[in-house]
């Protein structure tokens, strides 16, 4: 009976699985998480290494027996599976490292995602932004080899020419976790040039720094989170596809407008007189600096919370330029000040306004005269009962025992 089953769980097999079942499970898991099938997915790459590490141990009878007896620490026998070459394992199982599907396509360098803050005006109107950047390009002096002409690559001393090494980490309780790590000395190639044989320009790095310029065209109708890709304009590595530079637009907050999909929302303040009698004036300045003028006649009363729509004054659709969203106007009625209300001729004003509601006379024993004070809805719910406070404290003190003193 195995003392631990983590490696079996990685492959999805039982601890008593046969070698054929382990080999079949490894092939299935490797195909699903291979980096070539999941470019740029660090999680899949890590999963692939875990699967390879599990098979490296369980495919060898001695290493498996040591794991079943001692766990991942390896016991007295030392490091399980230390003599395996994963390239040889993979090639022997699949016939080739590319699964028999022809030559492996060049790997892709890591893309760069750059968040870029954009104003709502720029998203509405469009704009071109210019950038200067530094990136790595393949060394033209050595054509990306990293060595002088005629120089010969030597096996990396650190990894023994494997490009990877078995990394051990303490997992607690006396257990040791083992994972395959890329050798940093040779950058996973397994071979490197001696210092005297390295290219003088790139010093064996195979890439050199270079400056470049980019013009970012922000289209009309751009939206928050939109990605604009510069294919192949990122860092280069030998024998790989160049990386891309990806700008991710981040909309800055706006003082006047909110945006949702293609629609815009703005709050417009009007006086009580305008709400009752109408008006004719500019209510706001649009994102393209046009003055939005509205005329409302007497009788078109604006009520608190009322929302009106101006068709076709929202954001433009990038794909269909003749398709636009709408502009939503939420009216905010500005009532007179207390000073104005106390100084006006009350009787004259009352004669102009609709009549007050009739006064209902409840029984005297049910009548409660109260006074009011200014308030805000943000304070709604701020008064918590003592029982609720106690329950909330108990939720945070679940780990502390509720100890009561015994009576003497």
């Amino acid at each position: 009976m195995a003392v631990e089953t983590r490696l079996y769980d990685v492959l999805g097999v039982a601890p008593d699985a046969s070698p054929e079942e382990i080999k079949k499970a490894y092939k299935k898991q490797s195909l699903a998480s291979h980096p070539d099938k999941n470019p740029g997915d660090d999680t899949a790459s890590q999963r692939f290494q875990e699967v390879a590490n599990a098979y490296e141990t369980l495919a060898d009878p001695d290493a498996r027996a040591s794991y079943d007896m001692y766990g991942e620490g390896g016991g007295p026998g030392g490091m399980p599976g230390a003599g395996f070459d994963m390239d040889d394992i993979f090639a022997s199982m699949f016939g080739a490292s590319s699964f028999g599907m022809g030559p492996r396509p060049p790997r892709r360098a890591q893309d760069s995602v750059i968040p870029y803050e954009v104003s709502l005006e720029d998203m509405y109107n469009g704009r071109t932004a210019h950038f200067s950047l530094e990136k790595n390009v393949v060394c033209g002096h050595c054509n990306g080899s990293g060595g002088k002409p005629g120089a010969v690559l030597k096996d990396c001393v650190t990894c023994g020419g494997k490009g990877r090494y078995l990394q051990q980490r303490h997992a607690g309780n006396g257990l040791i976790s083992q994972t395959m790590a890329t050798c940093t000395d040779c950058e996973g190639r397994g071979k490197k040039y001696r210092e005297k044989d390295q290219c003088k320009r790139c010093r064996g790095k195979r890439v050199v720094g270079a400056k470049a310029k980019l013009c970012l065209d922000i289209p009309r109708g751009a939206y928050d989170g939109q990605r604009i890709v510069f294919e192949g304009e990122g860092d280069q590595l030998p024998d790989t596809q160049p990386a891309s530079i990806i700008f991710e637009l981040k909309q800055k907050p706006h003082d006047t407008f909110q945006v949702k999909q293609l629609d815009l929302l703005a709050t417009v303040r009007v006086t009580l007189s305008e709400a009752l009698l109408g008006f004719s004036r500019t209510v706001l300045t649009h994102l393209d600096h046009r003055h939005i003028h509205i005329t409302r006649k007497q009788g078109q009363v604006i009520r608190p919370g009322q929302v009106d729509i101006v068709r076709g004054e929202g954001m433009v659709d990038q794909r269909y330029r003749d398709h636009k969203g709408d502009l939503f106007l939420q009216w905010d009625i500005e009532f007179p000040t207390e000073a104005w209300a106390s100084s006006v001729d009350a009787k004259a004003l009352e004669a102009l306004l609709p009549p007050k509601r009739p006064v209902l006379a409840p029984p005297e024993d049910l009548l409660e005269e109260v006074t009011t004070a200014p308030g805000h809805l943000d304070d709604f719910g701020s008064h918590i009962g003592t029982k609720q406070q106690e329950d909330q404290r108990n939720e945070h003190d679940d780990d502390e025992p509720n100890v009561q003193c015994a009576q003497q």
Side-chain angles (χ1 to χ4, degrees):
M1 183 65 179
V3 297
E4 65 177 83
T5 62
R6 192 188 74 83
L7 298 184
Y8 293 101
D9 296 338
V10 170
L11 295 180
V13 296
D16 59 351
S18 65
E20 291 76 20
E21 290 174 330
I22 292 176
K23 184 175 182 179
K24 183 178 179 180
Y26 170 66
K27 182 175 181 179
K28 179 181 178 181
Q29 299 287 353
S30 297
L31 285 170
S33 58
H34 196 277
D36 287 352
K37 284 196 170 186
N38 303 272
D41 189 344
D42 295 337
T43 302
S45 178
Q46 182 179 359
R47 170 69 178 170
F48 178 78
Q49 291 184 356
E50 291 178 352
V51 170
N53 179 47
Y55 182 75
E56 184 179 6
T57 300
L58 300 182
D60 179 74
D62 294 335
R64 182 180 179 182
S66 177
Y67 171 74
D68 289 344
M69 184 173 295
Y70 303 107
E72 291 189 63
M79 195 182 302
F84 273 68
D85 186 334
M86 295 312 300
D87 286 336
D88 295 340
I89 295 175
F90 210 80
S92 66
M93 293 191 63
F94 299 102
S97 59
S98 58
F99 308 112
M101 296 184 288
R104 176 182 295 180
R107 294 180 180 178
R108 184 185 184 93
Q110 184 67 40
D111 293 338
S112 298
V113 180
I114 304 174
Y116 182 60
E117 286 194 341
V118 187
S119 68
L120 190 55
E121 285 84 356
D122 290 340
M123 290 181 165
Y124 184 87
N125 300 296
R127 183 172 72 88
T128 300
H130 301 274
F131 295 90
S132 296
L133 58 97
E134 294 185 358
K135 64 179 182 179
N136 293 327
V137 298
V138 175
C139 179
H141 188 70
C142 63
N143 293 323
S145 68
K148 297 178 179 179
V152 179
L153 286 166
K154 302 294 184 179
D155 284 344
C156 175
V157 177
T158 303
C159 63
K162 301 295 185 182
R164 299 178 303 277
Y165 63 94
L166 199 61
Q167 185 180 59
Q168 292 186 328
R169 293 179 180 177
H170 292 280
N173 296 327
L175 300 177
I176 298 178
S177 172
Q178 299 178 117
T179 57
M180 296 299 295
T182 300
C183 178
T184 55
D185 285 351
C186 64
E187 298 178 347
R189 292 185 294 163
K191 296 182 179 294
K192 59 184 297 186
Y193 290 103
R194 292 179 296 183
E195 187 173 351
K196 68 176 184 178
D197 294 331
Q198 293 176 355
C199 171
K200 293 183 178 180
R201 181 168 299 178
C202 67
R203 299 185 180 276
K205 298 297 184 181
R206 303 188 296 163
V207 294
V208 294
K211 294 184 178 180
K213 293 185 177 181
L214 291 179
C215 292
L216 174 63
D217 290 323
I218 302 170
R220 290 185 60 201
Y223 54 88
D224 185 48
Q226 181 174 352
R227 290 191 166 192
I228 301 176
V229 181
F230 289 85
E231 190 70 34
E233 292 291 341
D235 289 331
Q236 299 178 6
L237 289 173
D239 304 322
T240 64
Q241 295 179 355
S244 294
I245 295 179
I246 304 172
F247 286 91
E248 186 172 3
L249 304 184
K250 299 294 184 182
Q251 179 202 323
K252 296 179 182 178
H254 199 274
D255 293 335
T256 303
F257 295 96
Q258 298 179 45
V259 61
K260 186 175 183 180
Q261 304 300 344
L262 295 180
D263 294 329
L264 292 171
L265 170 64
T267 299
V268 179
R269 301 194 73 181
V270 295
T271 65
L272 180 58
S273 176
E274 290 175 321
L276 296 175
L277 303 176
F279 60 89
S280 181
R281 66 175 175 87
T282 295
V283 295
L284 57 82
T285 302
H286 212 315
L287 295 168
D288 57 359
H289 307 297
R290 287 181 296 120
H291 293 268
I292 302 301
H293 190 280
I294 291 180
T295 299
R296 294 185 68 93
K297 298 178 181 180
Q298 182 177 352
Q300 295 179 309
V301 177
I302 297 177
R303 292 169 173 80
Q306 180 175 325
V307 175
D308 288 338
I309 299 175
V310 182
R311 300 293 184 188
E313 286 294 346
M315 301 291 289
V316 67
D317 191 321
Q318 292 183 48
R319 185 172 297 180
Y320 306 103
R321 292 301 178 90
D322 58 343
H323 179 209
K324 292 184 176 181
D326 295 330
L327 171 60
F328 288 71
L329 300 178
Q330 185 172 31
W331 302 104
D332 181 15
I333 303 175
E334 183 178 312
F335 278 73
T337 63
E338 292 182 359
W340 181 90
S342 60
S343 64
V344 73
D345 187 341
K347 291 185 177 181
L349 181 59
E350 187 175 7
L352 296 174
L353 295 175
K356 298 179 181 179
R357 296 182 182 275
V359 177
L360 301 178
E364 291 187 3
D365 58 341
L366 298 179
L367 181 62
E368 182 72 23
E369 186 73 26
V370 299
T371 58
T372 62
H376 199 282
L377 277 179
D378 289 344
D379 297 328
F380 179 67
S382 61
H383 294 84
I384 304 177
T386 54
K387 182 63 171 65
Q388 290 174 284
Q389 291 177 327
E390 182 181 353
D391 292 343
Q392 291 179 1
R393 285 196 300 267
N394 291 337
E395 289 179 1
H396 299 290
D397 299 337
D398 286 341
D399 296 335
E400 299 181 4
N402 185 12
V403 179
Q404 299 182 358
C405 297
Q407 294 182 358
Q408 299 297 329

